[in-house]
Each structure stands twice: as structure tokens, then as C-alpha cells.
Amino acid sequence: MLLTVINNNKTINIMEVKVKRIARRATYTIGKMYVDGAYVCDTLEDKDRGLTSMMSVAQICGVKIKGETAIPTGRYLVDMKTVSPRFGGRAQYQFCKGRLPKLCNTPGYQGVLIHCGNTAKDTDGCILIGENKAVGQVLNSTATFRKLYPILKAADESGEQIYITIE
């Protein structure tokens, strides 16, 4: 389901990633991730506190609890070229040279990534991917990341823009 947009007589192909939050709990949020409409994996985020990208940064910061709050719902551009200063040197990311998918312009947040992890303590506002086969966790996160990353990287290398919608 590749979306093509014509802008100033230039064709831009867009990959659409969607995270549909399906279980909002006291300390975590479980979701399902789709790429161009196809289910890819489960997600784990911090608690959803009802933030949206339409809120002002002041409103978001008034509700947000650092390290315990999921990013606002909304649509964000994904950058595939940034090396993570925190995770770039870790063994599980050597295959991608530490370049993790980074969400751009998330109001009230900085450095929001899609990465490996298992519990809400591993998120710090980021999106963890894996298989939701245990309550409040995603498992097989590294294997899942190794499955998702090449899909996103191929789109980026072919000149597609990647957007993620959190709902």
C-alpha cells in the first residue's frame, strides 16, 4: 500500500507505519504495529496519558511524567540516518551501525526511537517492538527488530519517506 504524493512536480513515495494502541494499563501500553497495512509485530510503550500531537508543548509537559509517559498520538516522520548516542555501540545494533529509527518532531520529547527492550522500564518514552506473549512485556525483541529494520531501511534507501502514526 505504497502512497505516492506529487509535490512541486516531484513524486515522493511514502511508507506508512501505524501503531494501534490496544491495551492501556496503569504502567504500560501494548500496541500492534503495521507497515503499509500489514501486521508486523507488537509494541510496548510507557503509560498512555492521553497526550496528542495537537496539544501545546506546555500542555504536554504539564501531563508528562519523564520516563513514564508514552509519546503523544499523531503522525511523525521517521529518520533512519541518526546513530543513537545511547544504543549505537550495543552489540544487537552493530548490524545497522547503531542507526535506529528515530521519530522526528515529537512535541515535548527528544530522541524517541524504535528499539529493542522487554518492559516499560526499557522504554523511556520510546517504542519497543517484539511479541506480546507475557503480561506487560514484549518478548523476542532483538529478533523482531532484525525483522523490522530491513523493511524500513529498504524504503529509506529507495528514497521513500517513512511516516509513523500512533493512534
Side-chain angles (χ1 to χ4, degrees):
M1 189 164 99
L2 179 67
L3 179 63
T4 302
V5 177
I6 299 174
N7 185 6
N8 294 331
N9 294 324
K10 181 179 176 188
T11 301
I12 302 169
N13 293 324
I14 298 174
M15 172 180 275
E16 292 286 350
V17 178
K18 180 187 291 187
V19 172
K20 184 171 178 57
R21 294 175 175 165
I22 60 167
R24 292 165 172 86
R25 301 295 185 254
T27 58
Y28 65 89
T29 304
I30 296 292
K32 297 208 172 282
M33 180 179 282
Y34 302 85
V35 175
D36 289 335
Y39 168 79
V40 175
C41 62
D42 298 318
T43 63
L44 177 69
E45 299 175 82
D46 285 319
K47 178 182 174 72
D48 181 345
R49 299 183 192 278
L51 304 177
T52 74
S53 60
M54 302 306 289
M55 297 168 78
S56 71
V57 172
Q59 288 173 306
I60 289 168
C61 291
V63 173
K64 173 184 171 183
I65 299 172
K66 185 172 175 24
E68 298 180 18
T69 305
I71 63 170
T73 57
R75 187 170 186 254
Y76 306 101
L77 182 67
V78 177
D79 168 38
M80 296 294 293
K81 294 175 178 45
T82 302
V83 175
S84 168
R86 182 174 174 192
F87 298 114
R90 295 195 182 175
Q92 69 263 44
Y93 302 117
Q94 291 310 297
F95 79 98
C96 60
K97 298 180 176 73
R99 289 181 171 87
L100 279 65
K102 179 182 173 190
L103 282 64
C104 300
N105 303 315
T106 49
Y109 291 73
Q110 291 182 350
V112 177
L113 305 171
I114 298 172
H115 66 84
C116 303
N118 301 111
T119 70
K121 292 195 182 302
D122 301 327
T123 69
D124 203 21
C126 294
I127 301 171
L128 306 181
I129 58 173
E131 300 170 354
N132 180 226
K133 294 187 175 188
V135 174
Q137 298 181 46
V138 288
L139 307 177
N140 300 315
S141 189
T142 300
T144 304
F145 186 83
R146 285 184 161 272
K147 181 175 91 171
L148 174 66
Y149 188 86
I151 296 168
L152 300 178
K153 186 65 176 162
D156 182 62
E157 287 177 347
S158 71
E160 290 180 50
Q161 288 186 345
I162 304 168
Y163 281 91
I164 186 167
T165 300
I166 312 295
E167 55 181 43

